[in-house]
Amino acid sequence: MNNTNTPPLSELPSSRALLRSTLIAAGVALVLLVTVVMPAEYGVDPTGIGGVLGLEQMGEIKQSLAAEAAADAAADAAADAAADAAADAAVGAAEATRDTASRGSRADTISIVLQTGQGREIKLAMGDGARVDFDWVTSGGVVNYDLHADRTAPPAIKYHGYKKGQAVPSDTGVLVAAFDGMHGWFWRNRTTVAVTVTLRVAGDYRDWTEVR
């Protein structure tokens, strides 16, 4: 059965006609782009037709609104970043406050006099992980020292060393207890004159005692 709706080949447009139609369509699209789309969307009017038709003003308004929206978004992002930074700072301050509070509020200044050849000891009763800020200084000479810890309660620990030195005039730092027990300094005067040692401690300790 023949299809009577199919036009004969002689009635179909030629390749040249199709090309011409395509070029005409492209030209019309280009003209619309320059005279309508660019003025209306971007406020750009190279031909002046957009201004006559009022399209350029429409495009300028759109561009202004877009710029304002971008500025608002940037301002919101900056405000969010500032709020996040403030929140982080507040959290850090709270943690620092809790850390300071966990160290306790006790503070003492202790002075001892060491005669030639004499040794004496100051110990702090501290819990496991407790922290104490300390500094000590001598007057009249230098000393040998041993910063250490021990515990008599089971399981007993006879000696746990932190640091030591010879012929030292001073020291400062943070003492962090390795376990629940007694933690402190032993000083000995190996000079030929009396030496005064002044110790300042502040932090999380229950009590202090002097051992002669």
Side-chain angles (χ1 to χ4, degrees):
M1 182 176 180
N2 295 327
N3 187 355
T4 59
N5 295 324
T6 303
L9 294 177
S10 60
E11 295 181 6
L12 295 176
S14 64
S15 297
R16 180 176 297 179
L18 289 174
L19 178 60
R20 183 171 61 250
S21 299
T22 301
L23 292 176
I24 291 172
V28 171
L30 179 61
V31 170
L32 290 176
L33 174 65
V34 174
T35 61
V36 177
V37 176
M38 291 177 62
E41 295 296 329
Y42 306 104
V44 178
D45 187 17
T47 65
I49 296 176
V52 175
L53 299 177
L55 299 176
E56 183 180 8
Q57 184 179 6
M58 182 188 302
E60 291 174 349
I61 293 174
K62 288 183 178 180
Q63 291 301 305
S64 177
L65 292 176
E68 291 178 2
D72 290 341
D76 290 341
D80 290 341
D84 290 342
D88 291 343
V91 171
E95 291 178 350
T97 300
R98 287 195 298 270
D99 182 61
T100 301
S102 68
R103 298 188 185 187
S105 58
R106 177 155 187 171
D108 289 287
T109 299
I110 308 155
S111 291
I112 58 175
V113 178
L114 301 176
Q115 302 298 329
T116 299
Q118 186 179 20
R120 290 169 64 181
E121 189 172 19
I122 298 294
K123 289 184 175 181
L124 309 178
M126 301 173 63
D128 185 12
R131 297 167 62 91
V132 169
D133 297 311
F134 72 87
D135 70 85
W136 59 263
V137 62
T138 62
S139 176
V142 294
V143 292
N144 297 346
Y145 80 95
D146 185 348
L147 175 56
H148 63 281
D150 59 70
R151 179 172 65 198
T152 57
I157 299 175
K158 291 184 178 180
Y159 177 86
H160 176 85
Y162 292 112
K163 61 189 298 190
K164 60 178 62 179
Q166 294 183 333
V168 178
S170 64
D171 190 30
T172 185
V174 179
L175 172 60
V176 181
F179 51 83
D180 189 356
M182 303 300 293
H183 308 257
W185 299 260
F186 174 80
W187 296 279
R188 185 176 294 279
N189 177 13
R190 291 299 188 183
T191 71
T192 58
V193 296
V195 177
T196 299
V197 179
T198 301
L199 169 69
R200 289 182 291 270
V201 289
D204 185 12
Y205 61 99
R206 298 184 294 272
D207 199 0
W208 67 270
T209 184
E210 178 181 355
V211 181
R212 295 176 179 271

